[in-house]
Amino acid sequence: MINRNILTLDEFTLQQLRNFPKATGELSRLLREIGLAAKRVNVEVNKAGLVDILGDEGTTNVQGEEVKKLDVFANNQLIGVLKHGISCAGIGSEELDDIEIFDDELSNQSKYVCLFDPLDGSSNIDVNVSIGTIFSIYRRVSPLGTPCTKEDFLQPGRKQVAAGYIVYGSSTMLVYATRRGVNGFTLDPQIGEFSLSHANIQCPKDGKIYSVNHGNFFLYNSGVKKYIDACQKKTKETGGPYTQRYIGSMVSDVHRNLIKGGIFMYPGTTDKPNGKLRLLYECNPFAFIVEVAGGKATNGEQRILDIEPTELHQRCPFFIGSENMMAELESYLEKEKS
Ligand code: AHM
Ligand code: MG
């Protein structure tokens, strides 16, 4: 039986509209379209071990059909729903070198552009570990009625209207934030709908989990090394002991820390000073979500959401999590600077 006390994603976003009498409903539609793409990706992720979807692009499966890698499939699904919808003027994706401007009569009238990483943590697909989709939505700065432009995408993260992620895990969840709050919806497989399961998510101020790739330890700067060292030495008296958790799927790592309290770090290394993660569709959306939930996100020197982007695929060091853990990290980084 369906529990009628639980709102679906569509019902929830439509209810939110009541708070804004002048709202056009475009954002609700956009979220519904992303939810639809997520459901399609979810179906394929769940059977990834059964069908030959892990192979390389361009190979053929046993039915003689061309195999699409799952990340290409996810990318195509997102582009498909957003292009056919009427709320999005163009997209930027980790899978595409350049932005895709939809440039048709309806899309040119759309208020929003969307950036996404269609399948983050894709190296985990073939070993059955959680992966995710990350998205970021901006109101365009170019005039309505014209094709969108690169400037619409190169806005600082603080200008995001909404951001979210889907985690394909032990259950599939869609979490999204607007300035008004962060809410999580679990996919109910019986009715095929995302249903509100985590209302008004708040990131705990303290936590006991730190997430970092220890394999790179000797490539981090001394501030980061000293902080990691301090995490390992925490005792009951100093708020510990801490536990180290690193899945290698940022969506799952940050999702867990958002709910339980914790810190996630992908610092720069001596060989890659800007780290690995991409500002526009990996760091910015998570920084927005976690800040709305009461946490913090920086690149070690500056608030992530204040960085003025210059390139679609630029990378940046990334530190994100519970407010007090971030404050302690910052004190180590600061000490080592002077
Ligand atoms: P991807 O976009 O190629 O999947 O890479 C991003 C992922 C993150 O989800 C994860 O936190 C990180 O890469 C793990 O990288 P590493 O194996 O270097 O620790
Ligand atoms: Mg990624």
Side-chain angles (χ1 to χ4, degrees), residues 4 15 52 80 96 107 120 129 133 147 153 167 179 181 187 277 333:
R4 289 311 305 155
Q15 283 199 1
D52 190 8
L96 301 178
S107 302
D120 183 62
V129 170
T133 297
F153 296 86
V167 54
R179 250 162 258 284
L187 184 61
L277 301 175
L333 299 183

Side-chain angles (χ1 to χ4, degrees), residues 13-14 16 27 96 111 210 261 281 295-296 299 314 319 328 336:
T13 56
L14 287 171
Q16 296 290 303
L27 185 61
L96 301 178
K111 273 204 285 227
Y210 73 103
Y281 42 78
K296 281 192 84 177
N299 66 357
Q314 79 190 70
F319 304 90
E328 189 173 3
E336 286 304 301

Side-chain angles (χ1 to χ4, degrees), residues 94 117-122 134 250 277-278 281-282:
E94 179 169 349
D117 180 351
L119 216 51
D120 183 62
S122 44
I134 313 168
M250 178 175 56
L277 301 175
R278 318 288 185 137
Y281 42 78
E282 294 182 323

Side-chain angles (χ1 to χ4, degrees), residues 253-313:
D253 276 315
V254 180
H255 174 69
R256 180 203 52 237
N257 294 358
L258 172 67
I259 306 284
K260 291 192 164 183
I263 189 167
F264 172 92
M265 301 176 271
Y266 204 107
T269 51
T270 40
D271 52 340
K272 291 180 186 140
N274 289 326
K276 175 182 186 186
L277 301 175
R278 318 288 185 137
L279 173 65
L280 291 184
Y281 42 78
E282 294 182 323
C283 305
N284 267 340
F286 272 114
F288 182 83
I289 296 162
V290 168
E291 277 202 12
V292 172
K296 281 192 84 177
T298 75
N299 66 357
E301 288 174 1
Q302 191 185 1
R303 180 182 176 224
I304 290 289
L305 298 180
D306 284 338
I307 299 173
E308 295 287 338
T310 52
E311 281 168 48
L312 186 59
H313 297 293

